[in-house]
Amino acid sequence: MRSNSSDGRTRPAALSEALHNARHALETGRPADAERIAAEILQANAGDREAAKVLGYALMMLGRNAEAVAVLEKASRGNRDAEADTAFGIALRQAGRGDEAVTAFNRAIKRDAKYPMAFYELGKTFAERGRIDEAIAVFSRGIAVAPTMIDMMARLGKCHLAAGDRKNARRCFERVLGLAPGHYATAEALAMVLMDDRDYAQAAVLFRAMVTANPDNAQARLGLANCMLHLGKDDAAYENMRAAAERGPKFYGQALRLAVTAQRGRFWLRPSDAEKAIKNRR
């Protein structure tokens, strides 16, 4: 029994099963196993592009980016495979060859203008290099292709925020949470935007949801405490500061700084009094 590969060739059933096992190894965080299996497939069938892609991803996960570049360059050469070009671009970027990565991602988009990961990786590359306007343009094109791709929408929101456009950042973050209410990194980002807009009540709703989902989330507790201070709910604010302070010295310092420097809430003549208020539960 034989199956078809993505390049139109037939693949023996044993190699198809091996490829399945290699992909599963990647998905379950076992890159060394994925590397071994993919390499065995390529020994039996040197032109198997799917195995080459798996091998490239495995090598990247193992931190062997230069080797991944060599493998994925062969996989992308002469083929109209946007995924191979995108994987090649990722390897180039991780190997510190950003300009070449941009070329690879653009080639992937040219080959398949509906492959969202090419837009995502190109936008990510621009953002990491500080080319925020270009990142926004690419992510926006990608969202038009994949409107429910939450990671791309979240990154677009962060880029808008970096560009000082809180309105569009807020719109992106709200869209992400509409699709994935449990995306707490975005919930925190949106809550911070809301606080900048002085919408403390709505920010508190988000921080409270994060605290409910994870009572040990000290950063969310501090955000909630800040909102409570601005809403005139001092007791709730200090309860959350105390809970955050219990998570370790780092958060204790942040809680104390919030208590002392907050423009709302209690006024402390001495920082030591604020320290006592945070340390001692009522």
Side-chain angles (χ1 to χ4, degrees), residues 22-198:
R23 286 172 173 156
H24 182 68
L26 268 187
E27 292 166 359
T28 54
R30 296 180 289 118
D33 289 341
E35 178 199 5
R36 174 181 55 78
I37 299 168
E40 290 173 354
I41 296 171
L42 288 168
Q43 283 181 346
N45 183 5
D48 195 315
R49 191 164 71 252
E50 295 303 311
K53 285 188 281 190
V54 171
L55 177 58
Y57 285 126
L59 290 169
M60 282 190 276
M61 290 175 69
L62 292 166
R64 292 154 57 187
N65 295 311
E67 293 176 67
V69 167
V71 169
L72 291 166
E73 183 176 18
K74 291 179 181 178
S76 65
R77 188 182 299 150
N79 296 299
R80 297 189 62 79
D81 185 338
E83 182 187 0
D85 282 324
T86 302
F88 179 42
I90 295 170
L92 286 166
R93 183 181 63 214
Q94 293 189 183
R97 296 163 61 179
D99 290 339
E100 294 171 84
V102 168
T103 298
F105 296 136
N106 276 319
R107 185 167 63 241
I109 291 170
K110 185 176 180 179
R111 286 179 171 171
D112 185 354
K114 293 186 177 180
Y115 183 63
M117 287 305 299
F119 292 98
Y120 177 81
E121 295 296 344
L122 178 57
K124 179 180 175 181
T125 303
F126 281 145
E128 289 176 352
R129 306 184 91 196
R131 296 163 63 175
I132 301 301
D133 289 343
E134 290 169 280
I136 289 172
V138 170
F139 283 140
S140 297
R141 288 172 61 197
I143 290 298
V145 172
T148 61
M149 188 171 174
I150 60 173
D151 287 343
M152 185 142 52
M153 181 63 69
R155 282 188 177 271
L156 176 58
K158 290 179 181 178
C159 286
H160 280 307
L161 202 55
D165 185 351
R166 290 206 309 272
K167 180 179 179 181
N168 276 317
R170 178 171 176 171
R171 185 176 298 149
C172 288
F173 295 148
E174 287 173 343
R175 213 166 138 190
V176 170
L177 292 178
L179 294 167
H183 202 278
Y184 290 113
T186 297
E188 183 175 5
L190 176 57
M192 298 304 293
V193 171
L194 291 168
M195 287 181 68
D196 286 342
D197 290 340
R198 299 186 180 184

Side-chain angles (χ1 to χ4, degrees), residues 222 225-226 229 234 237-238 241-242 251-279:
L222 290 172
N226 200 348
L229 288 175
D234 291 5
Y238 279 88
M241 286 186 220
R242 293 182 192 114
F251 295 111
Y252 171 75
Q254 290 182 22
L256 181 59
R257 187 160 53 251
L258 175 60
V260 172
T261 62
Q263 296 180 351
R264 300 292 180 91
R266 301 173 190 173
F267 176 73
W268 304 102
L269 291 175
R270 295 176 298 179
S272 58
D273 291 334
E275 184 177 356
K276 290 178 183 177
I278 291 173
K279 282 185 174 180

